[in-house]
Amino acid sequence: MHNDIKRVLFSEKDIENIVNSIAKQIEKDYNGKDFIMIGLLKGSVAFMVDLMKNIDLDFSIDFIVASSYGSGTQSTGRVNLQKDVSQSVEGKDILIVEDIIDSGNTLDFITKYLEAKKAKSVRICTLFDKPDRRQVDISVNYTGAVIPDEFIVGYGLDYNEKYRNLPYVGILKPSVYS
């Protein structure tokens, strides 16, 4: 375990089981649909790659870069769209893939943005949900696990662009970001 981790919250095996379960639900719900899986960079990459490998359907992928955090641990409440999708979403079923939902500000913004671009439907898939921090009411269609109000890193999740490569998800020691 990395020295900056207080404790492991989800092991590699735990994450694998969560991803497989979500993939089966998506496979069932999107069977026969023309959909685009859109990952929110950078945190969703590890989750999205594993999710894609476990869904036995044809679909396309794209990415959006948006953030309401900067280099801090709390949402600023203001969403900054840095990279848009590279294909049209008009008339398509959209599955947004996110690593963690915290305040909900970014996903609320992205959902409304894709709906305004005339997506047929927009659903949200997240590996982790932290409802205690929610600032906006958003509907989440696929949730891997609800987590406590702790700052977690690993498996794509970061603090100041570090720890994304950890194969597990752990609680970061407060001394690292205080």
Side-chain angles (χ1 to χ4, degrees):
M1 185 169 74
H2 194 285
N3 289 338
D4 293 342
I5 302 301
K6 185 164 120 180
R7 72 179 167 90
V8 172
L9 199 57
F10 294 93
S11 69
E12 286 182 77
K13 187 65 178 166
D14 294 334
I15 294 167
E16 181 182 324
N17 290 338
I18 290 168
V19 171
N20 289 338
S21 175
I22 293 173
K24 294 308 164 218
Q25 293 172 37
I26 291 169
E27 199 171 281
K28 180 181 168 199
D29 293 347
Y30 281 86
N31 190 16
K33 293 186 178 188
D34 183 15
F35 78 101
I36 304 172
M37 185 182 287
I38 298 177
L40 296 186
L41 294 178
K42 300 176 189 170
S44 71
V45 170
F47 175 43
M48 187 164 160
V49 167
D50 287 346
L51 191 61
M52 289 177 356
K53 290 190 281 185
N54 285 285
I55 297 174
D56 188 22
L57 296 173
D58 292 328
F59 56 92
S60 59
I61 66 167
D62 212 326
F63 297 95
I64 287 180
V65 178
S67 178
S68 65
Y69 280 83
S71 63
T73 62
Q74 300 218 10
S75 173
T76 64
R78 184 166 172 256
V79 178
N80 179 20
L81 183 63
Q82 298 166 319
K83 182 215 173 291
D84 199 351
V85 291
S86 58
Q87 59 188 300
S88 173
V89 299
E90 187 172 344
K92 304 279 187 175
D93 291 302
I94 304 300
L95 179 63
I96 300 171
V97 178
E98 178 65 301
D99 54 353
I100 187 169
I101 301 174
D102 196 344
S103 69
N105 290 320
T106 301
L107 279 171
D108 183 56
F109 174 87
I110 296 299
T111 298
K112 289 174 181 169
Y113 178 75
L114 293 171
E115 288 169 346
K117 290 178 125 245
K118 300 181 181 168
K120 182 177 178 181
S121 70
V122 179
R123 290 185 178 178
I124 297 171
C125 172
T126 187
L127 183 57
F128 300 115
D129 189 3
K130 197 186 289 186
D132 292 343
R133 301 278 299 250
R134 197 77 78 247
Q135 294 175 2
V136 295
D137 186 28
I138 57 171
S139 176
V140 182
N141 307 91
Y142 308 96
T143 301
V146 175
I147 62 167
D149 188 9
E150 298 272 8
F151 197 86
I152 62 171
V153 294
Y155 193 69
L157 294 115
D158 75 302
Y159 169 66
N160 207 18
E161 296 298 329
K162 295 178 183 167
Y163 311 104
R164 291 187 195 277
N165 62 319
L166 298 176
Y168 54 84
V169 171
I171 298 171
L172 191 62
K173 291 178 181 173
S175 61
V176 175
Y177 57 87
S178 297

